[in-house]
């Protein structure tokens, strides 16, 4: 599944933690690793001495990750380049034919300025390659990681079901249980007709459809990783929304990793920032693989 992994780093603690997780995945999948540092092209107005310092700093940053890789006996290739960070990361991931990008949710791209949150969003907008986003509150200092419980939310859309190979591959490598979840958005489903409450028969039909959706995705994951345990669930959300119900499920079931499509059925034309996956990404404290819309 993941033959080559790209790990962009910027010297922040968040990026280093993300790199550790990326290296562990590379070990599991026996993947080649590219470590990348991008000097923001807006730094080009600096003096030549300042440019040299930024280049030297970039080389030191990738060297630190190379040392971490050596500790776990994983060879890496390092690159220091310049450009617009999000665009450069997405472009090089495509040029390298990477199967996965691993990035921190927040970091620093300059001496003082914290920007990697924006860079992460930019990569998700630009890249057709799945992205593992490691949250800023991931405080694990381990060099090896266990994902015991994976959550795979789905609404039955093509993009949501495209996560099956990724969920199956990761669950198989880590011996994890895959939780397949569908959340019924009662407010969105009822629209203007929900003001006085939804008919019981209508809700029952929504539940039947959602159960069919999770069963179908669970069966697809099972064909790719027949030896893993799979649990299915259908939940209902109302005023708090789908993202809040997913966060609640993550906390209740002690989920270690979310594997989710970037867009679902209801927001095919919307940007990630406005989608359910974007809302979950900004608020959960567990790593999340975003499989971008094909």
């Amino acid at each position: 599944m993941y033959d080559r992994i790209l790990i962009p780093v910027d010297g922040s603690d968040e990026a280093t933690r993300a790199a550790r997780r990326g290296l562990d995945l590379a070990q599991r999948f026996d993947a080649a690793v590219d470590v990348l540092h991008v000097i923001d092209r807006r730094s080009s107005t600096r003096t030549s001495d300042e440019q040299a310092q930024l280049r030297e700093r970039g080389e030191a940053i990738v060297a630190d990750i190379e040392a971490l890789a050596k500790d776990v006996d994983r060879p890496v290739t390092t690159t220091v380049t310049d450009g617009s960070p999000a665009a450069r990361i997405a472009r090089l991931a495509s040029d390298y034919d990477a199967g996965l990008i691993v990035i921190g949710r927040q970091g620093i791209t300059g001496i003082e300025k914290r920007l990697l949150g924006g860079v992460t969003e930019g990569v998700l907008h630009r890249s057709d390659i799945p992205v593992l986003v490691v949250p800023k509150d991931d405080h694990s200092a381990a060099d090896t990681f266990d994902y015991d419980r994976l959550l795979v939310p789905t609404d039955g859309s093509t993009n949501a079901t495209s996560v099956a190979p990724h969920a199956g591959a990761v669950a198989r490598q880590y011996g994890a249980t895959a939780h397949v979840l569908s959340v019924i958005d009662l407010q969105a489903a009822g629209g203007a007709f929900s003001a006085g409450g939804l008919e019981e028969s209508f809700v029952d039909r929504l539940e039947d459809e959602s159960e069919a959706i999770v069963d179908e995705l669970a069966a697809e994951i099972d064909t790719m990783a027949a030896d893993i345990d799979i649990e299915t669930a259908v939940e209902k959300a109302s005023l708090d929304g789908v993202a809040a119900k997913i966060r609640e499920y993550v906390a209740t079931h002690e989920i270690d990793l979310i594997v989710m499509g970037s867009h679902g059925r209801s927001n095919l034309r919307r940007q990630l920032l406005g989608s359910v996956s974007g809302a979950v990404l900004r608020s959960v404290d567990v790593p999340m693989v975003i499989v971008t819309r094909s």
Side-chain angles (χ1 to χ4, degrees):
M1 171 59 66
Y2 304 129
D3 295 326
R4 194 166 187 177
I5 296 175
L6 176 66
I7 305 176
V9 291
D10 61 5
S12 65
D13 291 339
E14 293 87 351
T16 300
R17 286 193 286 268
R20 290 182 184 275
R21 287 192 179 268
L23 291 170
D24 183 68
L25 274 168
Q27 285 285 88
R28 301 276 185 154
F29 285 91
D30 193 25
V33 179
D34 294 284
V35 179
L36 171 68
H37 176 75
V38 181
I39 301 170
D40 196 320
R41 65 183 175 190
R42 285 171 291 189
S43 302
S44 61
T45 57
R46 299 174 185 267
T47 67
S48 57
D49 284 346
E50 289 171 331
Q51 285 288 323
Q53 290 175 1
L54 289 172
R55 172 69 59 169
E56 184 177 347
R57 176 176 177 272
E59 296 289 354
I61 288 170
V62 297
D64 286 344
I65 306 303
E66 188 173 22
L68 291 178
K70 187 174 295 185
D71 288 342
V72 295
D73 197 27
R74 175 55 40 178
V76 301
T77 300
T78 62
T79 301
V80 176
T81 185
D82 53 24
S84 173
R88 196 76 173 126
I89 291 166
R91 174 61 182 273
L92 288 178
S94 178
D95 289 348
Y96 294 161
D97 197 23
L100 183 71
I101 301 169
V102 181
I103 194 168
R105 194 167 71 195
Q106 184 179 12
I108 55 174
T109 53
I111 302 303
E112 300 287 344
K113 198 168 185 179
R114 304 182 68 83
L115 287 176
L116 192 55
V119 172
T120 304
E121 297 278 6
V123 171
L124 288 165
H125 284 311
R126 290 172 171 83
S127 177
D128 293 329
I129 295 166
V131 181
L132 169 59
V133 182
V134 179
K136 66 177 181 178
D137 293 325
D138 176 30
H139 297 303
S140 175
D143 290 323
T144 57
F145 302 88
D146 289 320
Y147 302 117
D148 295 325
R149 291 167 293 276
L150 272 62
L151 176 61
V152 191
T154 179
D155 63 0
S157 64
T158 301
N159 189 230
T161 56
S162 67
V163 307
H166 302 274
V170 174
R172 186 173 58 248
Q173 288 294 334
Y174 288 87
T177 297
H179 292 247
V180 182
L181 170 69
S182 178
V183 178
I184 303 170
D185 190 339
L186 293 177
Q187 189 173 31
F193 300 102
S194 64
L198 297 174
E199 292 287 342
E200 184 177 347
S201 60
F202 179 66
V203 176
D204 288 343
R205 188 167 68 251
L206 291 176
E207 289 181 334
D208 289 342
E209 291 174 354
S210 293
E211 287 171 1
I213 286 169
V214 296
D215 287 345
E216 181 180 357
L217 182 53
E220 190 169 350
I221 294 173
D222 185 63
T223 62
M224 300 169 183
D227 54 339
I228 69 168
D229 293 328
I230 302 176
E231 297 185 10
T232 61
V234 173
E235 302 280 353
K236 294 189 287 289
S238 53
L239 295 179
D240 290 337
V242 174
K245 183 60 68 173
I246 292 174
R247 291 196 300 271
E248 179 183 318
Y249 192 96
V250 167
T252 301
H253 293 82
E254 298 182 326
I255 298 297
D256 302 304
L257 178 72
I258 302 172
V259 184
M260 190 173 186
S262 61
H263 297 72
R265 178 184 296 165
S266 62
N267 45 39
L268 288 175
R269 297 184 181 276
R270 296 169 64 185
Q271 293 184 339
L272 179 75
L273 281 170
S275 70
V276 172
S277 53
V280 175
L281 176 64
R282 290 193 297 268
S283 56
V284 298
D285 291 329
V286 299
M288 187 168 172
V289 176
I290 303 290
V291 181
T292 52
R293 182 178 52 194
S294 56

